[in-house]
Amino acid sequence: MKKLLLFIILGLSLNVFAGERLSFNKGWKFSLNDQSGAEVIDYNDAAWRILDLPHDWSIEGEYSEDNPMGGQCGYLPSGIGWYRKTIEVPKEWKGKHIEIAFDGVFMNSTVWANGRKLGDRPYGWISFSYDISQETLSSDSITFAVRVDNDKQPSARWYTGSGIYANTWIDVKEKVHVANSGIFIKTKGSQVEIDTEIQNNLNKKAKLTLLTSIKDQFGKVVASKNDQLKVDASGSRIINQSVELVKPELWSLENPYLYTAVTEVKSGKKVLDRVETRFGVRDIEWKAETGMWINGKNVKMQGVCNHQDAGALGAAVPDKILRFRIQQLKDMGCNAIRTAHNPQTPQFYDMCDEMGMLVMDEIFDGWMKKAANDYGAHSFDEWWNRDLTDWIKRDRNHPSIVIYSVGNETRGEIGKDLVERCHQLDNTRPVTSGHSASEYMDVLGVNGSSEKMGWFDSMEKDRVFIGTENTHTWQVRGFYRTKTWYRDGYPNKRQKSYYYPDLTEEEVFSFDWTNAVGRKNFKQIFNSSYDNAMVRLTSRHNIEQLRDIPYYAGSFRWTGHDYIGEATYVHGGWPFKSFMGGAIDMANFEKDLYYLYQSQWTTKPMVHILPHWTHPTLKEGTEIPVWVYSNCDEVELFFDGKSLGKQKPGKSHDKMQCQWMVGWKAGELKAVAYKNGKSVVEKVIRTATAPAKIRLSVDGESLANKSKDIVQVRVTTEDEKGEFYPYGENRTYFKVIGAGKIRALDNGSPIDVEKHFEATNRIAFYGLTRAYIESTDATGDIALLASCILGEKKQVTSNKVSIDTKVLNLRGDLLKTKIEVFYTVDGSVPTQNSKRYVDAFEVELGTTVKALVVLNGKEIQLMEERFAKDEGFVFDGVRVAANPGGDQAEDATFNIANVSDLGSGFHGKGYLDFGRNNGGYVEWYQENDGSPGEFVLKIRYSAQEKIRPEYKVLLTINGVDQEIKLPATKNYRKNWAVFEVKAQLNSGANTIRITALEDDGLGIDELSVE
């Protein structure tokens, strides 16, 4: 292996000139758990796993309710991991300036080279590098070791991943070179100003020439500047150059034109360093009255917030998938992304530059503790300046970045210092925050509070305003309810929600993930895709406000894509693992909401119908609100060929959708959209019968002829006629044939807690399954075999079972296939002597069907599917009341207390009994996405009156203590009282702790915050 690495590096080095950057991703060794002495050269790592970076070890693990990450970070494993890699040092590196660079390591990384500690970086979302010139000069080989400590949890308020999740590099430079992130390009009109920092690591003064050439997108030099200079020994110098472009092409959303600045540092005729920097020419103005102007055009920021992870792929997102997701948002009509709540990998910004996507670049979540073991809790004070400096210097040449954000729902005078430091490093962009130290910000950024009724009537208009986290609505793909739902109930004085009427007087739909008995927490519900599930206002209302209020500069909905984590506070915790506020789910499947935005934010003719038209348990004639989203002039709806009339999409939020009340009956709905009186686009949906087939297709680009390329395969559940079956939940089994492997499987479900990484099978979620297939070699044929036992798991309308297999060619020549399937219904393992599958067959409830797939005579897959009343989703689910209780004590963090279910009348699965030991506590995490202020805490408890008349407890809110007395209750453990106390809560994360000060006789059931 060592010889192979040497050959690769030497081969590359033959073409190395100063300033070369070499990928350093291949051939690392990895071991999970802490390893004593693994930083030394002769440590025995023979048993370690070999892998290529980027790598996220958490997403490779199993979901578990017991994992320390908990609901905040998505129930995945964390821990400590080690990486090692040994290389030979090419002779061309001797005497050069050599660095090892990391684009991102989460978190608390320590790096060694040949046993010498290079440094620590606690922040997991920052790029950094180390000088290894000492090792390359004195040694013929280098052993790198990287320790990554993500053990203490939660280390954030959402899923972070663990490990070296981004690219690594070796940078080869001369002793005289351009400093890291040492080029800063500013443009105004046709003028281009370039600051270049040159580092001289020689022990003598360097006499140099600095040549900067500007190339257009075709590689033609359109301007240049040449300067003579001297740089002192072991010193650095910043040189300012200015050039003018003749009629420059301007960078814009519609035309993201990029120039390249080629920087050459010369000594005589020898080029010591050469750096290429892409940039865009654009002028941006910010006006309080009208928001942002790009090149003289008023542009509303139609934005979303997004985290780093991509569902089943975790934090180590392949470039191809990242680009797909950005384009997916752009196709939705989104033109801006907020990097919530940390910088993303460098290639993200490159892609946004190329694709014409604006970026609000955000550096921090909190400036103090927001999660127990996050950066704010342990490292912010010491490291913020270094990290902020490295971040801005890395990112400031990207034309896509139009504004910086320095915090999210946090507080402190430090905000002033953060803004000042941003201005020092880059005076071309304003600074904002998500509702943090707003008095110091150039642009007022407000999160959930800006959704409140009356906000725009009273807000100050001294600065540009942006809704940095606005709006909050939730929906599950393929799930519908006609009754309006608010997270905190309606009316709610604190939230000041808008009123939206129900779509029907009585709820129409009952299909659900479980019934009331199956929910251990009242929050564990799916949310409706009608855009009628929210905190304060609907997505439609937000779109209207952004469009019509001149001083509303931009809105960043929470979120663009669903993400892992934040599953407890909002969604009630296990088995909920993710936050489902996106317009697109974790598996990159678009929700109905996606098409709402498309209808309002795009011009290419489109039309979309919701809900689906498969409702087997509905009484015929039941009126269903049929919504159609379109950006055309007029829409006509047909049922079984008969027109139900034409409607014009309206401008007001309640008229953006065209609505027809249609009596349920199996059949066909067709929406035809018209422009200027002519039909331009149509959409058809039909009622499906029982699932009988699967269909395979590719979303995005196909597999390329290179190793480690990736492709997204969509598996669609269909009936025997090929109609989409929207309740599909049967399990698909996958087998890659040829030079590829399964990278991960997903389905977009917020409650599916099966393992993603290199899984071989996965259930469908509302009719769709996702497979990520990766090539293992640069050449070779690749095909995917997918097989499924299909049928209604509860046999609501049919007891028929079908078995389907499909082969999808992904690269190269078509696979010659002869597929046979053998099955059993008696629980036995099928063999090639079992019954051969020919056609659909009937089974009784309680039957497990097992099937063997034989490909070209070889046994490939063994499948099974059970059909029974206790399997699958339910068609008669009854949702519990919107807010029957609070956050359960047994689900919170607690110590010196026991979960008990003795007695009666408690909520949830039990309560906390503090027993005979005082000093026990229970602590809740509460997130306030609105403004700070006074709230009412409601503590539900039971206390033994036979011991004492009242019980002293210590109430601690964000570290501030107050003693309160809970009056004893009659019938201990059967009667439950509610004690109310007023309290100040901050914006963002809050911790509320109740500590028992007296022993015996106290039980805490839940906490409500109003």
Side-chain angles (χ1 to χ4, degrees):
M1 184 66 184
K2 186 180 288 187
K3 289 182 178 179
L4 176 60
L5 289 172
L6 173 61
F7 175 79
I8 293 171
I9 290 176
L10 286 177
L12 288 172
S13 68
L14 292 177
N15 298 312
V16 167
F17 55 85
E20 184 78 3
R21 166 160 273 205
L22 305 174
S23 174
F24 205 53
N25 288 338
K26 291 185 178 296
W28 285 80
K29 290 188 172 184
F30 171 73
S31 181
L32 190 57
N33 298 320
D34 211 357
Q35 311 292 327
S36 178
E39 73 276 12
V40 302
I41 297 174
D42 58 356
Y43 179 87
N44 185 2
D45 59 13
W48 288 23
R49 171 185 167 196
I50 298 175
L51 53 76
D52 295 340
L53 304 177
H55 174 238
D56 172 5
W57 81 67
S58 288
I59 200 65
E60 296 180 348
E62 301 273 0
Y63 288 98
S64 171
E65 190 174 8
D66 298 326
N67 278 332
M69 273 192 172
Q72 277 185 264
C73 298
Y75 299 109
L76 282 160
S78 51
I80 296 172
W82 280 83
Y83 300 83
R84 282 172 56 90
K85 181 173 178 176
T86 299
I87 63 167
E88 303 296 329
V89 176
K91 62 181 181 180
E92 291 84 0
W93 292 8
K94 300 291 184 179
K96 299 288 180 68
H97 179 84
I98 313 294
E99 295 181 1
I100 182 170
F102 297 84
D103 282 349
V105 184
F106 199 92
M107 62 180 296
N108 296 316
S109 67
T110 305
V111 182
W112 292 266
N114 283 352
R116 179 174 71 94
K117 181 179 174 180
L118 301 179
D120 302 298
R121 289 305 285 251
Y123 198 34
W125 306 112
I126 204 71
S127 299
F128 57 92
S129 62
Y130 297 113
D131 184 351
I132 57 169
S133 304
Q134 174 182 322
E135 281 71 28
T136 57
L137 180 63
S138 62
S139 304
D140 293 327
S141 67
I142 306 176
T143 296
F144 296 98
V146 182
R147 183 181 185 269
V148 185
D149 184 353
N150 194 24
D151 190 46
K152 294 179 181 179
Q153 293 293 325
S155 58
R157 298 179 302 110
W158 60 90
Y159 177 74
T160 61
S162 300
I164 309 178
Y165 66 90
N167 291 320
T168 57
W169 310 92
I170 293 290
D171 291 321
V172 182
K173 307 176 184 181
E174 295 288 350
K175 292 292 186 180
V176 177
H177 55 269
V178 176
N180 287 340
S181 302
I183 296 174
F184 182 23
I185 301 175
K186 296 175 279 188
T187 69
K188 186 173 181 59
S190 60
Q191 202 74 19
V192 180
E193 188 175 323
I194 310 105
D195 289 339
T196 304
E197 181 181 2
I198 299 176
Q199 178 72 39
N200 178 12
N201 288 345
L202 296 172
N203 57 9
K204 61 180 180 179
K205 182 178 290 187
K207 185 178 181 181
L208 305 169
T209 300
L210 174 64
L211 172 63
T212 301
S213 305
I214 308 297
K215 293 184 177 181
D216 65 15
Q217 65 178 4
F218 303 106
K220 179 183 176 182
V221 175
V222 294
S224 63
K225 187 67 184 295
N226 193 319
D227 285 294
Q228 308 296 317
L229 64 138
K230 296 177 181 180
V231 182
D232 290 339
S234 301
S236 65
R237 180 178 172 186
I238 296 176
I239 300 91
N240 176 265
Q241 296 177 310
S242 183
V243 299
E244 185 164 350
L245 302 178
V246 179
K247 295 181 179 180
E249 286 274 358
L250 302 182
W251 187 96
S252 66
L253 296 170
E254 301 79 17
N255 179 40
Y257 192 96
L258 295 172
Y259 288 91
T260 301
V262 181
T263 303
E264 292 182 313
V265 179
K266 297 181 178 180
S267 176
K269 294 184 178 180
K270 182 181 180 181
V271 177
L272 300 178
D273 200 1
R274 185 178 189 276
V275 178
E276 293 190 357
T277 307
R278 294 195 308 176
F279 69 98
V281 177
R282 83 283 191 279
D283 288 331
I284 295 183
E285 294 181 272
W286 298 85
K287 302 178 182 180
E289 303 82 4
T290 51
M292 183 178 64
W293 294 73
I294 302 180
N295 303 327
K297 177 182 177 182
N298 194 198
V299 176
K300 295 279 190 177
M301 300 182 78
Q302 298 167 174
V304 300
C305 303
N306 258 8
H307 282 313
Q308 169 72 28
D309 78 277
L313 299 169
V317 185
D319 288 358
K320 194 172 182 179
I321 303 302
L322 179 57
R323 185 178 291 274
F324 176 89
R325 285 161 67 95
I326 297 171
Q327 186 62 53
Q328 192 176 31
L329 290 169
K330 192 171 177 69
D331 291 343
M332 184 180 85
C334 170
N335 65 12
I337 298 173
R338 177 189 180 200
T339 65
H341 299 293
N342 49 260
Q344 293 212 10
T345 50
Q347 61 266 40
F348 166 81
Y349 305 96
D350 291 335
M351 294 175 190
C352 290
D353 290 346
E354 296 163 6
M355 300 164 73
M357 179 67 78
L358 304 177
V359 176
M360 176 185 287
D361 200 9
E362 189 158 275
I363 176 66
F364 301 125
D365 181 25
W367 307 332
M368 58 196 72
K369 182 177 78 171
K370 294 181 72 172
N373 292 291
D374 66 3
Y375 174 79
H378 299 293
S379 303
F380 178 84
D381 291 343
E382 179 184 354
W383 281 91
W384 75 261
N385 191 20
R386 172 79 177 273
D387 289 331
L388 185 144
T389 300
D390 288 349
W391 163 65
I392 289 218
K393 292 181 73 173
R394 184 195 74 173
D395 289 353
R396 61 189 176 182
N397 291 319
H398 290 283
S400 58
I401 298 173
V402 294
I403 188 169
Y404 295 124
S405 174
V406 292
N408 175 67
E409 293 174 358
T410 186
R411 64 192 184 279
E413 294 297 313
I414 192 68
K416 180 180 180 181
D417 297 330
L418 292 165
V419 174
E420 287 180 354
R421 184 61 178 147
C422 288
H423 290 164
Q424 290 168 6
L425 294 164
D426 181 0
N427 60 2
T428 70
R429 293 173 175 89
V431 182
T432 189
S433 69
H435 221 146
S436 306
S438 297
E439 64 271 27
Y440 301 123
M441 301 298 145
D442 305 318
V443 169
L444 177 62
V446 180
N447 285 3
S449 287
S450 58
E451 301 170 352
K452 292 181 178 181
M453 185 167 56
W455 166 265
F456 290 100
D457 297 330
S458 58
M459 67 165 280
E460 295 183 8
K461 302 180 180 63
D462 60 323
R463 289 169 290 170
V464 172
F465 163 77
I466 292 176
T468 40
E469 210 168 284
N470 178 338
T471 182
H472 296 79
T473 67
W474 299 316
Q475 48 287 129
V476 170
R477 171 178 54 80
F479 182 86
Y480 302 95
R481 287 291 186 268
T482 58
K483 303 286 280 186
T484 300
W485 179 88
Y486 297 85
R487 182 191 69 181
D488 301 312
Y490 185 91
N492 187 300
K493 292 181 180 179
R494 176 166 59 90
Q495 299 297 6
K496 296 182 181 178
S497 306
Y498 291 85
Y499 171 73
Y500 303 100
D502 297 329
L503 303 183
T504 59
E505 188 173 337
E506 299 294 333
E507 182 56 64
V508 169
F509 302 108
S510 61
F511 185 84
D512 210 339
W513 76 278
T514 188
N515 52 32
V517 176
R519 307 180 207 278
K520 68 177 185 180
N521 187 299
F522 75 95
K523 298 177 180 180
Q524 293 185 326
I525 61 172
F526 284 178
N527 295 111
S528 171
S529 283
Y530 271 115
D531 187 35
N532 59 348
M534 75 218 79
V535 180
R536 306 171 188 88
L537 82 168
T538 65
S539 301
R540 289 163 292 148
H541 205 156
N542 173 252
I543 291 169
E544 179 186 33
Q545 290 177 338
L546 177 64
R547 182 194 67 206
D548 293 346
I549 298 175
Y551 48 85
Y552 196 171
S555 175
F556 290 79
R557 78 159 284 114
W558 192 264
T559 52
H561 291 80
D562 289 353
Y563 59 91
I564 301 172
E566 284 197 274
T568 308
Y569 170 65
V570 176
H571 300 311
W574 188 268
F576 284 77
K577 67 181 182 188
S578 60
F579 193 98
M580 48 192 178
I584 307 162
D585 72 21
M586 289 190 300
N588 299 336
F589 295 129
E590 299 89 354
K591 304 179 187 179
D592 290 302
L593 187 69
Y594 180 92
Y595 301 100
L596 163 65
Y597 282 103
Q598 201 172 67
S599 73
Q600 301 302 309
W601 286 354
T602 70
T603 56
K604 181 181 178 181
M606 58 76 60
V607 65
H608 177 76
I609 307 173
L610 67 147
H612 57 72
W613 204 241
T614 302
H615 309 289
T617 60
L618 276 188
K619 181 180 178 182
E620 193 167 303
T622 300
E623 289 202 326
I624 296 175
V626 174
W627 283 17
V628 176
Y629 296 138
S630 181
N631 55 11
C632 297
D633 302 333
E634 201 170 29
V635 177
E636 186 172 13
L637 187 68
F638 295 84
F639 183 67
D640 284 345
K642 180 181 177 181
S643 176
L644 302 183
K646 291 182 177 180
Q647 292 189 29
K648 295 183 178 182
K651 292 292 185 181
S652 65
H653 65 88
D654 57 333
K655 301 295 183 184
M656 287 179 180
Q657 76 283 353
C658 299
Q659 176 178 299
W660 290 262
M661 297 301 294
V662 182
W664 157 243
K665 179 183 176 184
E668 176 190 276
L669 284 174
K670 179 170 73 171
V672 179
Y674 300 88
K675 269 189 174 293
N676 300 319
K678 294 183 179 181
S679 169
V680 290
V681 64
E682 64 180 47
K683 176 71 175 181
V684 176
I685 60 173
R686 300 182 182 90
T687 304
T689 55
K693 298 178 181 178
I694 55 173
R695 177 165 52 88
L696 306 183
S697 57
V698 169
D699 291 331
E701 295 182 10
S702 58
L703 274 179
N705 288 319
K706 63 179 182 179
S707 181
K708 296 289 184 181
D709 196 31
I710 197 167
V711 68
Q712 298 183 94
V713 176
R714 175 188 294 241
V715 183
T716 305
T717 306
E718 298 179 337
D719 70 4
E720 60 184 0
K721 294 181 180 179
E723 298 297 336
F724 173 59
Y725 180 72
Y727 303 109
E729 55 182 329
N730 297 126
R731 185 174 297 276
T732 300
Y733 293 75
F734 300 91
K735 176 70 176 179
V736 178
I737 304 162
K741 69 173 185 177
I742 299 169
R743 168 76 174 264
L745 301 178
D746 204 350
N747 52 25
S749 168
I751 60 169
D752 181 359
V753 291
E754 293 184 5
K755 184 179 179 180
H756 297 290
F757 178 67
E758 294 185 348
T760 58
N761 58 82
R762 197 148 198 108
I763 60 172
F765 181 69
Y766 287 138
L768 297 176
T769 313
R770 172 74 75 203
Y772 296 99
I773 309 301
E774 187 175 80
S775 58
T776 54
D777 294 296
T779 59
D781 303 337
I782 303 175
L784 177 67
L785 169 66
S787 306
C788 191
I789 301 172
L790 296 122
E792 294 178 353
K793 294 182 76 68
K794 280 184 163 57
Q795 299 188 352
V796 175
T797 68
S798 171
N799 65 353
K800 280 193 172 183
V801 172
S802 301
I803 304 176
D804 193 24
T805 63
K806 289 288 193 301
V807 175
L808 179 65
N809 191 63
L810 297 175
R811 193 176 76 184
D813 295 332
L814 291 174
L815 179 71
K816 294 181 180 179
T817 60
K818 177 186 178 183
I819 300 176
E820 297 176 289
V821 178
F822 304 89
Y823 70 95
T824 62
V825 295
D826 61 0
S828 63
V829 177
T831 68
Q832 295 189 49
N833 294 321
S834 301
K835 189 169 184 179
R836 188 171 182 270
Y837 176 75
V838 177
D839 205 351
F841 54 92
E842 296 179 352
V843 300
E844 296 180 354
L845 279 173
T847 301
T848 297
V849 177
K850 296 185 179 182
L852 174 68
V853 178
V854 179
L855 174 65
N856 297 332
K858 183 178 180 180
E859 297 180 358
I860 294 292
Q861 293 168 324
L862 187 62
M863 309 185 289
E864 68 175 73
E865 191 84 15
R866 184 169 178 263
F867 300 90
K869 287 185 178 180
D870 60 350
E871 288 286 340
F873 288 172
V874 300
F875 278 82
D876 57 351
V878 179
R879 177 181 287 185
V880 295
N883 284 286
D887 292 329
Q888 301 306 300
E890 66 271 20
D891 293 330
T893 300
F894 59 87
N895 189 36
I896 317 178
N898 297 307
V899 177
S900 175
D901 59 3
L902 296 176
S904 61
F906 52 81
H907 292 166
K909 60 188 177 185
Y911 57 92
L912 286 186
D913 184 350
F914 288 89
R916 296 184 178 275
N917 300 311
N918 59 21
Y921 69 83
V922 55
E923 183 176 279
W924 290 271
Y925 167 86
Q926 285 284 319
E927 183 176 338
N928 171 26
D929 55 9
S931 298
E934 187 175 79
F935 292 72
V936 176
L937 309 187
K938 295 184 176 181
I939 304 166
R940 192 170 193 265
Y941 72 99
S942 186
Q944 175 64 272
E945 67 173 352
K946 295 179 180 180
I947 298 178
R948 57 180 65 89
E950 59 187 16
Y951 286 73
K952 295 178 182 178
V953 300
L954 189 67
L955 176 64
T956 306
I957 302 175
N958 299 325
V960 179
D961 297 333
Q962 63 173 309
E963 186 179 296
I964 59 176
K965 299 175 182 179
L966 304 178
T969 59
K970 295 182 179 180
N971 297 321
Y972 176 51
R973 296 174 175 164
K974 293 183 179 179
N975 284 355
W976 299 85
V978 175
F979 183 87
E980 296 188 6
V981 58
K982 293 182 178 179
Q984 286 291 128
L985 295 186
N986 298 321
S987 179
N990 295 271
T991 55
I992 302 171
R993 175 180 289 196
I994 297 173
T995 304
L997 298 180
E998 296 174 314
D999 62 358
D1000 210 5
L1002 177 64
I1004 303 291
D1005 186 31
E1006 69 183 16
L1007 174 74
S1008 299
V1009 180
E1010 297 181 358

